[in-house]
Amino acid sequence: MAIIVTGASGLLGSALGQALRDEGREVVRLVRRKPQGPDEAFWQPSEQVIDLSVLDGAEGVVHLAGASIGDRRWSEAYKRELVASRVEGTRVLVDGLREVATPPPVLLSASGVDFYGDTGDREIDEDQGKGTGFLPDLCERWEAEAVRAGEAGIRTVRLRTGLVLSRKGGALGRMLPIFKMGLGAPLGSGKQYWSWISVDDWVGAALHVLRNPDVTGPVNFTSPSPVTNTEFTRTLARAVRRSAMPIPVPAFALSLGLGEFAREGLLPGHRVLPRKLADSGYRFAHSSLDEALRAVL
Ligand SMILES: NC(=O)c1ccc[n+]([C@@H]2O[C@H](COP(=O)([O-])OP(=O)(O)OC[C@H]3O[C@@H](n4cnc5c(N)ncnc54)[C@H](OP(=O)(O)O)[C@@H]3O)[C@@H](O)[C@H]2O)c1
């Protein structure tokens, strides 16, 4: 019985894969190239191809695949890839899960707190509805494909992940060189809330959810203490022993430099609380940003 992981080479997939192997669990990575051993199997979501034999009787599936949201400027073609890699990828996987004789009991499927759009400084939890914009629409379509696994009787958890703090990449990996040069600055008004989670807690929460049969539906993967962008900037600058620039980067300059990603990914605020993780008894290793950055860096 193996746990099947898509997007296994990514920031979260590699961290979770390692943690599962450390627990003595068997992990099979679904890869989009020729498999290189018994712990890899083939899928090519863009061609609707998937190796059903590894899904049949698996212990669980963790689906993390998707073209990177923050690595490059969004052209219209790249936006189509962001959507296709998630919506069609999830469809291919879930079609496969619905087809096998013995489907796994649980699917963890990635999503993001971007689902909520801009919700200002109000605290929100999983009951909050979808926001407006490209990313909320993308998350809705992505999650709708995962929900089809739930309809087929597979416990399905949609991981509404916030900004994951890891030294190895993601948003923090991109910000670190700038902050280390003393050039970190608040973005736009700086008042927008950023909901973050340390990579250790993301992995811990994923293991908790895999083990806990009562957890289902959308689950916020964020720490209990989201902070404003200004607070985030100050805390990160302190963590790398530099000062932050006193003048914020204006929203128009961010839009000019980073395009739609700035307007969708950096400037909207969501103050997201992890109600379902807390209610199901998950204990965070890092609840304050200061502590999390110290651990991560
Ligand atoms: N990290 C965060 O802060 C964060 C926040 C919110 C949501 N999420 C979501 O959580 C998931 C995992 O995040 P991550 O940080 O681990 O992402 P990541 O490092 O970018 O990894 C994603 C993985 O998806 C696969 N992939 C890349 N392009 C693809 C394409 N065009 N079609 C199909 N698969 C493709 C690759 O794995 P293979 O080469 O092994 O197939 C890649 O390593 C993503 O869907 C992301 O949107 C992450």
Side-chain angles (χ1 to χ4, degrees), residues 7-13 30 32 43 45 64-69 81 85-86 110-112 114 142 161-164:
S9 67
L11 182 71
L12 300 180
L30 276 181
R32 296 172 295 144
W43 81 319
L64 302 170
S68 172
I69 300 259
E81 189 175 336
S85 62
R86 290 178 168 76
S111 180
D114 309 286
W142 189 14
T161 297
L163 189 164
V164 179

Side-chain angles (χ1 to χ4, degrees), residues 212-235:
N212 194 327
D214 297 332
V215 183
T216 187
V219 178
N220 294 333
F221 269 47
T222 59
S223 78
S225 39
V227 295
T228 64
N229 168 258
T230 297
E231 177 72 22
F232 189 96
T233 304
R234 276 200 208 113
T235 313

Side-chain angles (χ1 to χ4, degrees), residues 5-176:
V5 183
T6 76
S9 67
L11 182 71
L12 300 180
S14 50
L16 180 63
Q18 189 57 53
L20 287 165
R21 282 188 295 273
D22 289 348
E23 279 195 342
R25 319 275 276 272
E26 193 189 329
V27 177
V28 173
R29 297 184 287 267
L30 276 181
V31 295
R32 296 172 295 144
R33 50 167 171 74
K34 195 168 181 287
Q36 283 166 356
D39 59 350
E40 291 190 346
F42 184 68
W43 81 319
Q44 187 45 268
S46 58
E47 289 162 22
Q48 290 88 49
V49 175
I50 189 163
D51 180 346
L52 292 180
S53 68
V54 290
L55 299 182
D56 205 357
E59 189 183 347
V61 175
V62 184
H63 173 45
L64 302 170
S68 172
I69 300 259
D71 268 0
R72 56 161 124 155
R73 211 181 156 91
W74 297 354
S75 61
E76 284 308 311
Y78 194 61
K79 279 167 72 178
R80 281 194 294 276
E81 189 175 336
L82 291 175
V83 174
S85 62
R86 290 178 168 76
V87 177
E88 287 163 25
T90 309
R91 187 177 309 144
V92 170
L93 174 67
V94 171
D95 283 349
L97 293 174
R98 291 169 66 116
E99 203 173 317
V100 294
T102 314
V106 58
L107 165 68
L108 270 52
S109 191
S111 180
V113 293
D114 309 286
F115 175 87
Y116 301 116
D118 192 345
T119 48
D121 55 9
R122 224 165 16 93
E123 292 185 337
I124 57 169
D125 62 21
E126 289 88 353
D127 289 338
Q128 174 71 27
K130 182 186 87 75
T132 51
F134 171 74
L135 286 180
D137 290 351
L138 165 55
C139 288
E140 182 183 46
R141 291 179 59 192
W142 189 14
E143 290 194 12
E145 295 296 337
V147 163
R148 293 171 48 245
E151 289 161 2
I154 298 169
R155 177 169 70 92
T156 299
V157 183
R158 290 167 270 148
L159 314 176
R160 292 191 180 153
T161 297
L163 189 164
V164 179
L165 301 179
S166 163
R167 190 162 38 91
K168 295 185 180 160
L172 183 63
R174 286 188 289 274
M175 284 187 266
L176 269 179

Side-chain angles (χ1 to χ4, degrees), residues 240-264:
V240 296
R241 299 196 177 82
R242 293 282 182 281
S243 42
M245 304 279 280
I247 303 165
V249 186
F252 78 86
L254 278 172
S255 286
L256 217 60
L258 300 173
E260 202 174 343
F261 168 65
R263 292 190 294 280
E264 289 267 344

Side-chain angles (χ1 to χ4, degrees), residues 163-166 196-203 223 285-286 292 295-296:
L163 189 164
V164 179
L165 301 179
S166 163
W196 56 271
I197 183 168
S198 72
V199 67
D200 288 350
D201 270 321
W202 190 93
V203 168
S223 78
H286 308 121
V296 164

